[in-house]
């Protein structure tokens, strides 16, 4: 069952790269995505046994991440098919500089989407830390062609930065994995197991200095992929140039996978009695990311870049939650779910606005509520959700993290956290609301018709974050607590 | 046996310096290829006590990929990018080599403090690995051309690999192959990107890839 979760999308991806018919490929994309989502939900009912001597296993964190990824992927694939149908024409004119460009072949787009899904499932399910590394690097390679879908110089520049920064970062994470192996070596015995369960069992005997060095390297390595400041520089470029549906997946699913890599290292540190060390580093990088993101969100003129910096901010929140530990760990895990759906929804809606207004500058978009009523409404709701307004999911999780910080007497952390959140609320809501309201500037004031899929998919995401914010189903609640317990430090 | 390992590690360090000091792209690609071959040799010598078939095959595959396949790929990327064959550094070659010497001093210092818990085969393992990593990073940040950044990345990976060999831990075959495959595909994709950059821009100057920024 676990193997199927990884091999099914990989096989479908390879088939997509080989066959010639566009409609068949789109059908394969949707069918595979639906099967994958069904499979991952089935693992909630029937816990699958570990495979290959514990290399692949589904713990609470893995189950949550693989399900979240596959459900989000299903939503994105439905949107992607509608998007690809619109993008059929051969030549497009660039919206910023007016030159003409063509798209990459659709085969490579759908194929890479599915390979990307396979790599992300492997990240969630692998319990062997070196295998986890292989999977994270594979996600970089499978997603790079998605960013370079529109063949022009800006997307190429974004792809290049993404490839280089992430690959270099991840190479450091591999060094971290090796350091971890050194920490586990006992004199006279070279057999080291990098399987998480074994490491956790042996953790008290791990060499502290090497373990610390390993955590730092893995935090820097996976952190550059996750978008923690100051290693986030690839993120705004990639998110603003990639097709909106790819941005939705990058932000909603890929960043989580990198976070999972850091959490695994954090788990080992906690078991080895170094939880205060690794937690402190996570807290520091988290606050720094939030601060840097807030500074760039204020006055940001490009609304896709604004969303990208908001991802940096939310990754910071996740790191802060994991760093504080205790009840905040639950907040962080809940925030993973809320942020994924909210950000995926916002990127899809941003794609709708981009298609109608043909500009990424927020000042040039106005009256969205009149021109594209549904997308305009979803845009407003999404922005409210992402800045942490009740009753949406992110409000609840941000509040849980704040409360945990105060309960633990970390008043300065709580103050900094609140200050940054306030700045982000101001920085994001002003331009976003101006985009929704206001007098339509371009051409007529008649509503523009868009395919129902373009609004239905983000609307479903919106419903999901609303449900989490109001009523957490007991199954989900229990599972979130189980997942949080793995890294909550008591 | 220790002397052989030491000499391989010293050769590895020297090729690092060659790479930092050479002005021709071809020489750089050759240097990084030689490093790859040396790594294969190193993996063989380290396990010479108890040679296993899988160990030998893995070392050979590693040497073939890093010593032959990837350099060939890079040569092709260089030809197709049809660029001038100079390195175009941002800092002078003298300064590069000097910085390299500083990095070597730093790695030796780190190597003294970060001791492997099990008795190490050679005390030069950790410094050599860290020097290769740092030199790779230096190449990435101090050279203009996109292709030299790929070379720097490959060098960085080589350094990480040296460390992996130092620990002499038997990674499962699947993982070793996975790591190798990732590096190979990584360089392959970067090579394609270099080709697209040259076709799109008529240059592969990474400094001029600067149209994306925050217009606040």
């Amino acid at each position: 069952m676990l193997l199927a979760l990884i091999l099914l999308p990989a096989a479908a991806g390879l088939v997509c790269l080989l066959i010639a018919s566009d409609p068949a490929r789109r059908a394969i994309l949707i069918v595979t995505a639906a099967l994958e989502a069904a499979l991952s939900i089935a693992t909630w009912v029937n816990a699958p046994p570990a495979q290959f001597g514990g290399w692949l296993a589904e713990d609470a964190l893995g189950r949550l991440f693989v399900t979240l990824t596959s459900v989000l992927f299903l939503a994105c694939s439905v949107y992607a098919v509608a998007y690809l149908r619109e993008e059929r024409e051969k030549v497009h004119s660039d919206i910023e500089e007016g030159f003409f460009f063509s798209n990459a072949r659709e085969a490579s787009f759908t194929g890479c989407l599915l390979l990307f899904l396979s790599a992300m499932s492997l990240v969630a399910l692998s319990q062997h830390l070196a295998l986890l590394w292989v999977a994270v690097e594979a996600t970089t390679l499978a997603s790079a062609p998605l960013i370079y879908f529109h063949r022009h110089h800006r997307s190429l520049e974004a792809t290049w930065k993404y490839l280089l920064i992430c690959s270099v970062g991840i190479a450091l994470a591999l060094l971290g994995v090796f350091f971890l192996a050194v920490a586990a070596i006992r004199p006279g015995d070279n057999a080291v197991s990098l399987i998480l369960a074994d490491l956790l069992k042996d953790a008290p005997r791990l060499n502290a200095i090497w373990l610390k060095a390993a955590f730092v390297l893995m935090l820097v390595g996976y952190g550059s992929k996750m978008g923690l400041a100051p290693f986030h520089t690839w993120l705004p470029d990639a998110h603003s140039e990639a097709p909106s549906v790819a941005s939705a997946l990058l932000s909603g699913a890929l960043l989580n996978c990198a976070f999972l890599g850091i959490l695994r290292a954090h788990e080992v540190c906690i078991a080895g009695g170094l939880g205060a060390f690794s937690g402190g580093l996570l807290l520091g990088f988290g606050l720094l990311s939030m601060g840097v993101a807030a500074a760039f969100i204020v006055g940001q003129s490009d609304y896709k870049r604004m969303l990208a910096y908001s991802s940096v901010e939310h990754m910071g929140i996740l790191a802060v939650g994991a760093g504080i530990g205790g009840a905040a760990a639950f907040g962080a895990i809940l925030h993973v779910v809320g942020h994924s759906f909210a950000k995926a929804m916002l990127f899809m809606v941003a794609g709708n606005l981009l298609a109608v207004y043909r500009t990424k500058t927020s000042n040039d978009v106005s009256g969205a509520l009149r021109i594209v009523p549904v997308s305009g409404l979803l845009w407003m709701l999404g922005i409210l959700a992402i800045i942490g307004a009740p009753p949406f999911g992110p409000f609840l999780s941000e509040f849980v993290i704040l409360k945990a910080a105060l309960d633990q007497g970390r008043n300065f952390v709580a103050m900094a956290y609140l200050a940054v959140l306030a700045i982000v609320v101001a920085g994001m809501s002003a331009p976003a609301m101006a985009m929704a309201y206001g007098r339509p500037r371009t051409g007529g004031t008649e509503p523009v018709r868009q395919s129902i899929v373009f609004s239905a998919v983000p609307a479903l995401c919106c419903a999901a974050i609303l449900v989490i914010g109001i009523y957490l189903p007991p199954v989900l609640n229990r599972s979130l607590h189980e997942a949080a317990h793995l890294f909550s430090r008591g | 046996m220790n002397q052989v390992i030491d000499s391989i590690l010293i050769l590895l360090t020297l090729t690092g310096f060659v790479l930092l000091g050479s002005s021709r792209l071809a020489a750089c690609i050759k240097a990084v290829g030689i490093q790859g071959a040396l790594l294969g040799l190193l993996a063989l010598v380290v396990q010479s006590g108890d040679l296993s078939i899988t160990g030998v095959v893995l070392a050979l595959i590693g040497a073939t990929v890093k010593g032959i396949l990837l350099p060939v790929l890079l040569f092709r990327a260089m030809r197709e990018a049809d660029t001038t064959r100079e390195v175009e550094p941002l800092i002078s070659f003298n300064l590069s080599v000097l910085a390299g010497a500083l990095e070597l001093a730093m790695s030796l210092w780190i190597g003294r403090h970060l001791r492997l818990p099990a008795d190490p085969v050679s005390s030069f393992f950790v410094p050599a690995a860290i020097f290769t990593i740092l030199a790779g990073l230096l190449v990435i940040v101090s050279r203009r051309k996109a292709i030299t950044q790929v070379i720097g990345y490959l060098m960085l990976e080589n350094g990480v690999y040296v460390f992996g060999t130092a620990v002499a831990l038997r990674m499962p075959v699947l993982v070793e192959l996975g790591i190798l495959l990732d590096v190979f595909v990584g360089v392959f994709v970067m090579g394609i990107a270099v080709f697209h950059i040259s076709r799109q821009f008529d240059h592969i100057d990474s400094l001029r890839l600067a149209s994306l920024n925050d217009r606040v």
Side-chain angles (χ1 to χ4, degrees):
Chain A
M1 193 130 152
L2 294 180
L3 205 55
L5 276 167
I6 296 156
L7 290 185
L8 173 76
L14 290 178
V15 170
C16 279
L17 286 175
L18 293 176
I19 61 175
S21 144
D22 279 348
R25 244 191 322 259
R26 292 172 195 161
I28 291 178
L29 178 65
I30 292 208
V31 169
T32 313
L35 277 176
E36 178 91 354
L39 261 179
S40 67
I41 290 170
T43 60
W44 290 63
V45 184
N46 229 344
Q51 280 179 313
F52 305 112
W55 281 42
L56 291 182
E58 204 183 53
D59 58 359
L61 268 173
R63 186 175 60 200
L64 188 74
F65 277 71
V66 82
T67 315
L68 185 62
T69 305
S70 61
V71 169
L72 208 66
F73 188 86
L74 178 59
C76 287
S77 67
V78 173
Y79 186 96
V81 165
Y83 171 76
L84 288 171
R85 221 178 269 148
E86 300 265 305
E87 288 274 311
R88 227 169 357 192
E89 55 194 278
K90 284 277 180 290
V91 181
H92 307 262
S93 70
D94 183 65
I95 53 168
E96 283 181 29
E97 296 160 56
F99 57 79
F100 291 97
F101 68 93
S102 59
N103 286 338
R105 286 187 313 127
E106 200 183 308
S108 68
F109 190 74
T110 27
C112 285
L113 269 180
L114 285 163
L115 292 177
F116 184 37
L117 173 65
S118 165
M120 287 192 293
S121 308
L122 184 58
V123 172
L125 297 178
S126 67
Q127 291 282 309
H128 189 283
L129 291 188
L131 187 65
L132 179 91
W133 180 87
V134 171
V136 175
E137 172 71 8
T139 58
T140 312
L141 302 174
S143 53
L146 301 179
I147 300 174
Y148 190 39
F149 179 62
H150 298 306
R151 295 279 162 109
H152 57 63
H153 68 97
R154 288 193 318 275
S155 62
L156 183 58
E157 181 184 330
T159 311
W160 178 251
K161 286 180 181 167
Y162 172 62
L163 261 179
L164 199 73
I165 295 174
C166 285
S167 297
V168 168
I170 299 238
L172 295 179
L174 179 61
L175 189 65
V177 173
F178 285 147
F179 272 35
L180 194 58
V182 173
I185 289 178
R186 257 165 280 140
D189 181 15
N190 253 353
V192 174
S193 162
L194 282 177
I195 292 175
L196 191 63
D198 295 341
L199 281 171
L200 292 178
K201 206 166 55 198
D202 278 351
R205 271 178 299 184
L206 294 182
N207 181 316
I209 296 175
W210 284 91
L211 182 55
K212 278 184 183 174
F215 180 78
V216 171
L217 284 170
M218 283 161 91
L219 179 65
V220 170
Y222 292 136
S224 61
K225 183 96 194 219
M226 179 182 166
L228 288 180
F231 323 109
H232 67 285
T233 43
W234 63 271
L235 199 142
D237 293 348
H239 283 62
S240 67
E241 293 308 324
S244 296
V245 63
S247 310
L249 273 178
L250 287 179
S251 230
L254 175 69
L255 302 187
N256 293 345
C257 289
F259 181 51
L260 185 62
I262 296 178
L263 281 185
R264 296 299 190 199
H266 187 41
E267 276 183 59
V268 177
C269 281
I270 292 171
L274 292 175
F277 169 78
S278 54
L281 276 176
L282 275 170
L283 184 60
F285 275 104
L287 284 176
L288 179 67
S289 307
M290 289 177 70
V292 168
F296 280 93
I297 283 175
V298 174
Q300 179 61 250
S301 59
D302 175 330
Y303 57 90
K304 276 189 94 179
R305 289 183 83 86
M306 181 176 79
L307 292 182
Y309 278 114
S310 152
S311 290
V312 175
E313 179 224 340
H314 285 273
M315 290 303 118
I317 294 178
L318 294 186
V320 167
I324 292 175
F330 174 75
I333 280 297
L334 182 61
H335 200 68
V336 166
V337 181
H339 170 255
S340 290
F341 281 110
K343 197 48 69 62
M345 160 195 180
L346 276 169
F347 270 114
M348 288 186 218
V349 176
N352 298 348
L353 296 181
L354 190 61
V356 172
Y357 286 92
R358 299 188 57 76
T359 174
K360 281 189 273 191
T361 313
S362 3
N363 276 339
D364 296 341
V365 177
S366 61
L369 276 172
R370 265 199 252 173
I371 302 224
V372 269
V374 184
S375 292
L377 181 67
L378 286 170
W379 176 254
M380 271 180 53
L381 291 176
I383 292 286
L384 283 176
I386 208 77
I387 61 179
F392 295 100
F395 164 74
L396 189 62
S397 46
E398 285 174 10
F399 185 75
V400 170
I401 294 173
L402 175 68
K403 183 168 179 304
L406 288 172
D407 284 347
Q408 293 186 15
R410 300 175 187 252
N411 294 334
F412 283 108
V413 173
M415 263 158 56
Y417 175 83
L418 270 183
V420 172
L421 285 183
I423 295 172
V424 171
V425 167
M428 274 185 90
S429 52
M433 292 306 148
M435 286 166 70
Y437 290 106
R439 189 182 295 276
R441 227 170 286 168
T442 41
T445 49
E446 289 300 300
V448 178
R449 289 187 63 84
Q450 278 184 316
S451 158
I452 181 96
V453 176
F454 290 129
S455 32
V457 176
L460 283 175
C461 294
C462 184
I465 37 178
L466 196 58
V467 168
I468 306 171
I470 295 169
Y471 167 73
L472 214 51
V475 190
L476 190 60
N477 191 18
R478 200 167 50 239
S479 167
L480 288 173
H481 274 290
E482 268 174 47
H485 181 69
L486 291 175
F487 64 98
S488 68
R489 279 195 277 153
Chain B
M1 195 47 69
N2 270 357
Q3 280 165 351
V4 181
I5 293 179
D6 275 341
S7 5
I8 294 177
L9 290 172
I10 289 168
L11 278 177
L12 209 65
T13 313
L14 287 178
T15 38
F17 274 107
V18 169
L19 213 156
L20 283 176
S22 49
S23 62
R24 310 287 297 173
L25 268 181
C28 290
I29 297 176
K30 272 181 202 149
V32 87
I34 291 172
Q35 277 196 340
L38 284 173
L39 287 179
L41 197 60
L42 189 66
L44 274 183
V45 177
V46 166
Q47 54 173 319
S48 61
D50 46 344
L51 226 50
S52 67
I53 295 178
T54 42
V56 173
V57 170
L58 273 179
L60 287 181
I61 294 178
T64 322
V65 169
K66 293 198 158 181
I68 301 170
L69 224 52
L70 290 181
V72 168
L73 257 174
L74 286 173
F75 270 118
R76 265 195 56 184
M78 181 180 82
R79 261 200 316 278
E80 285 184 5
D82 198 27
T83 164
T84 49
R85 306 292 164 91
E86 274 88 43
V87 170
E88 296 186 44
L90 295 170
I91 57 176
S92 76
F93 291 108
N94 292 336
L95 201 56
S96 295
V97 174
L98 194 66
L102 278 179
E103 285 180 343
L104 183 61
M106 209 163 101
S107 343
L108 286 169
W109 183 80
I110 294 176
R112 277 173 59 106
H113 289 267
L114 212 57
R115 286 195 174 280
L116 292 172
D119 46 323
V121 199
S122 156
S123 58
F124 200 52
F125 251 122
V126 179
I130 293 181
F131 168 73
T132 313
I133 291 170
L134 290 177
L137 285 173
L138 180 63
V139 169
I140 292 175
V141 297
S142 69
R143 304 287 190 263
R144 294 178 82 103
K145 281 189 174 159
I147 192 165
T148 36
Q149 294 176 336
V150 184
I151 295 174
Y153 165 70
L154 201 51
M155 194 162 162
L156 176 89
E157 277 286 350
N158 283 346
V160 175
Y161 191 88
V162 172
F163 192 85
T165 324
V167 191
L169 72 150
R170 296 290 143 74
M171 281 284 181
V173 180
L174 199 65
V175 170
E176 290 251 13
L177 285 180
I179 293 174
L180 209 55
L181 185 71
D182 272 349
V183 173
F184 173 72
V185 178
V187 172
F188 185 74
V189 174
M190 285 182 195
I192 295 175
V194 169
F195 169 66
H196 278 289
I197 291 174
S198 75
R199 216 179 44 173
Q200 182 77 245
F201 297 97
D202 284 327
H203 67 75
I204 52 171
D205 185 344
S206 59
L207 278 190
R208 281 158 64 190
L209 293 180
S211 63
L212 295 177
N213 50 28
D214 293 290
R215 284 151 305 195
V216 177

